[in-house]
């Protein structure tokens, strides 16, 4: 069985993880590549877990250190989902209007990671 994002392990059971890498993700909404590029980088949770976000083709991928990578599907310019995990990633902006953090959430749980 493939392991989901380390953070998702803490948030919910990995029931759908086995098909996560093979399932075809929903199309999502188009987001400008410049916006996607702005989200690319490293983010760190309060507990020290590092998340890597990068643009791949016309979308984003996310990976916690030592874990599998997952495709993010855009619901809007700032909200993305990991369909097979039931997780949502929301990007937030700092005071200078630059992407400064992300929040990984599922119903009842949310973990914030600050951009490094």
């Amino acid at each position: 069985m493939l392991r989901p994002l380390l953070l998702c392990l803490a948030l919910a059971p990995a029931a759908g993880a086995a098909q996560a890498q093979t399932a075809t993700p929903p199309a999502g909404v188009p987001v400008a590549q410049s916006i996607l590029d702005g989200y690319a980088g490293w983010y760190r949770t309060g507990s020290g877990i590092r998340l890597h976000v990068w643009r791949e083709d016309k979308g984003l991928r996310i990976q916690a250190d030592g874990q599998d990578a997952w495709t993010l599907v855009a619901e809007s310019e700032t909200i993305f989902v990991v369909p097979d995990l039931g997780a949502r990633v929301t990007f937030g902006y700092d005071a200078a209007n630059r992407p400064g953090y992300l929040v990984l959430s599922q119903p009842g749980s949310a973990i914030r990671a600050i951009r490094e």
Side-chain angles (χ1 to χ4, degrees), residues 9-65:
L9 284 172
L11 296 174
Q19 73 254 17
Q21 296 293 331
T22 59
T24 302
V29 298
V31 177
Q33 290 185 15
S34 60
I35 292 173
L36 298 177
D37 287 340
Y39 296 144
W42 288 92
Y43 297 80
R44 185 179 300 268
T45 69
S47 62
I49 297 169
R50 292 181 78 212
L51 299 170
H52 183 211
V53 175
W54 70 97
R55 186 168 64 83
E56 188 170 289
D57 299 322
K58 295 181 181 180
L60 289 177
R61 303 269 290 166
I62 189 168
Q63 183 176 29
D65 281 341

Side-chain angles (χ1 to χ4, degrees), residues 38-104:
Y39 296 144
W42 288 92
Y43 297 80
R44 185 179 300 268
T45 69
S47 62
I49 297 169
R50 292 181 78 212
L51 299 170
H52 183 211
V53 175
W54 70 97
R55 186 168 64 83
E56 188 170 289
D57 299 322
K58 295 181 181 180
L60 289 177
R61 303 269 290 166
I62 189 168
Q63 183 176 29
D65 281 341
Q67 300 295 310
D68 293 321
W70 296 84
T71 298
L72 297 177
V73 178
E75 286 188 336
S76 72
E77 286 187 349
T78 59
I79 301 171
F80 296 77
V81 295
V82 182
D84 295 312
L85 298 178
R88 173 170 277 126
V89 175
T90 303
F91 290 92
Y93 288 78
D94 62 19
N97 204 30
R98 294 179 305 231
Y101 66 92
L102 65 79
V103 177
L104 176 64

